[in-house]
Structures are given as C-alpha cells and as structure tokens.
Amino acid sequence: KEALFGGDCWAVACTDVNDQKTGRDLLAKALDDPVTQSCKGATLACGARLPSGKTSLQRLGISPPQKGHPLIFVAANGEASAVGLREYAVVDEAKNSATPDAGVLAKHLEKAGAPPRMLTLASDGDFKKKCAAKRRSTERISCALVLAL
C-alpha cells in the first residue's frame, strides 16, 4: 500500500506477465546502478485481485502490456504510470527492434524520483509551456503557483 499510494518513488515490476522475468531482472539491475538513488523497487503480482475485486492495474488505471513485454510502473505521490518502451530499452527504428537496457531504465527512474525543482516563469506563455502543455503520459508535471505582490 505504501509503495502504490505513499509519497516516495517506487518502481514496481509485475511478476505475472508473460515476459520471461525480463521486467523483474531489468528492475533489479537498474536499482543496482549508482545513478538510481531516488526510487525504491518492488515486485508485485499485478493481476491478483484486491479485496475490492479489482486488480492492482485496474485500481491504478494501467493497461496490461503487449504479450511478451515487461510491465514496470512508477508510483509516487499517489499517482502511478507505466514505464514506456523508450524508458527501459534502446530502440533501433531502422531494425524495428528494442533491447531492454538497465542503464536506460536507471536514468528514467532517477528522473522520476527527483525532488521538485523551482522554475521562474516570466509570462503566460512560460506557464503554458512549462506547466499546462500536454505531456507524454509517463511524464508527470505538477506546478504550484506562488504569486508575490
């Protein structure tokens, strides 16, 4: 419960997807990378039913992965999102292939668990660009506005 709905950054690999343990092994290697210090890791049988009758994925609003693909998601501050292919693999468009890479995942996890940073916005355009523009579904942007008079 703490991993999914608490304030800390957690990376979770689903163990009951047909990925030949790729997600679990990839997450373990990524968490061993010195660059990954802001996220904790866990494994979860994501298809298991909760007392509510829903699965963890249904409760979090995360779609099941494509057959054979791992499912890793990041949960922080009560929100969760699946880690996208480009966030855990080296993608070669020319060869139409993707190779899971713990280093790629480690960099994504470090960014996902990074503490908030302050921005100075000088105009309405800055606010729209930095805070209100639609972002990729796996990138969470939150802005708090402080007005000084």
Side-chain angles (χ1 to χ4, degrees), residues 79-139:
E79 294 185 13
S81 60
V83 174
L85 179 67
R86 294 182 186 282
E87 296 159 339
Y88 72 80
V90 175
V91 177
D92 186 337
E93 298 285 343
K95 294 181 181 176
N96 195 27
S97 68
T99 305
D101 185 299
V104 172
L105 179 59
K107 288 177 186 171
H108 174 71
L109 295 180
E110 186 58 26
K111 183 178 173 186
R117 60 186 173 93
M118 193 164 110
L119 297 173
T120 301
L121 306 174
S123 68
D124 290 347
D126 283 350
F127 180 79
K128 288 177 184 173
K129 183 178 177 184
K130 302 282 185 181
C131 298
K134 184 174 179 179
R135 305 283 184 186
R136 296 178 305 160
S137 63
T138 56
E139 183 180 354

Side-chain angles (χ1 to χ4, degrees), residues 33-52:
D33 192 310
V35 85
T36 309
Q37 296 178 5
S38 58
C39 272
K40 300 173 187 174
T43 58
L44 178 68
C46 297
R49 298 273 172 202
L50 300 170
S52 66

